[in-house]
Amino acid sequence: MAGYYKEEDLPRFAEMSEGAPRLWEKFNSWYSAVFESGALTQREKSLIALAVAHALECPYCIDAYTRDCLEKGSNLEQMTEAVHVASAIKGGSALVHGLQMRNVEAKLSI
């Protein structure tokens, strides 16, 4: 069975401009500005994007930013470490939300 996401859809992203070209233009302008070098290099921003892509579990973004990281000079070790950082934050987020469960349990157990 083929996966829900299709690799051939990634290059079709620009089709999202159809029906709302002005909004697409604004998104692209902002998106491009975000990834320009600033306090962080483009390579560092690409590694952040790769980590976020894994935390969000977006196969399109994982594909795009794996390629982008490689093109910007990152290696497998750096990319893997970025994914581990994202995983640690995502895992920690799930655990800290356990405090909500404990608060509700404490309230209901009184």
Side-chain angles (χ1 to χ4, degrees), residues 93-105:
S93 175
L95 284 172
V96 76
H97 278 85
L99 295 173
Q100 181 66 22
M101 175 263 310
R102 294 179 64 83
N103 291 342
V104 170
E105 185 277 334

Side-chain angles (χ1 to χ4, degrees), residues 4-103:
Y4 183 74
Y5 292 96
K6 299 176 184 172
E7 185 176 345
E8 60 269 17
D9 283 345
L10 183 56
R12 297 179 54 215
F13 185 39
E15 289 179 27
M16 293 307 298
S17 67
E18 296 170 12
R22 188 175 69 79
L23 294 175
W24 179 256
E25 183 180 310
K26 288 180 179 293
F27 170 77
N28 273 323
S29 178
W30 171 72
Y31 191 88
S32 295
V34 165
F35 282 93
E36 291 174 0
S37 290
L40 299 171
T41 66
Q42 289 182 337
R43 189 183 73 76
E44 291 167 330
K45 289 180 178 190
S46 188
L47 283 166
I48 292 168
L50 180 64
V52 171
H54 279 81
L56 295 175
E57 301 175 6
C58 176
Y60 296 122
C61 298
I62 292 168
D63 184 335
Y65 283 100
T66 298
R67 294 170 191 270
D68 197 56
C69 281
L70 290 170
E71 289 170 3
K72 289 185 171 47
S74 294
N75 60 38
L76 183 59
E77 183 179 12
Q78 293 165 332
M79 294 187 301
T80 302
E81 193 168 316
V83 171
H84 276 277
V85 170
S87 298
I89 297 300
K90 192 168 183 177
S93 175
L95 284 172
V96 76
H97 278 85
L99 295 173
Q100 181 66 22
M101 175 263 310
R102 294 179 64 83
N103 291 342

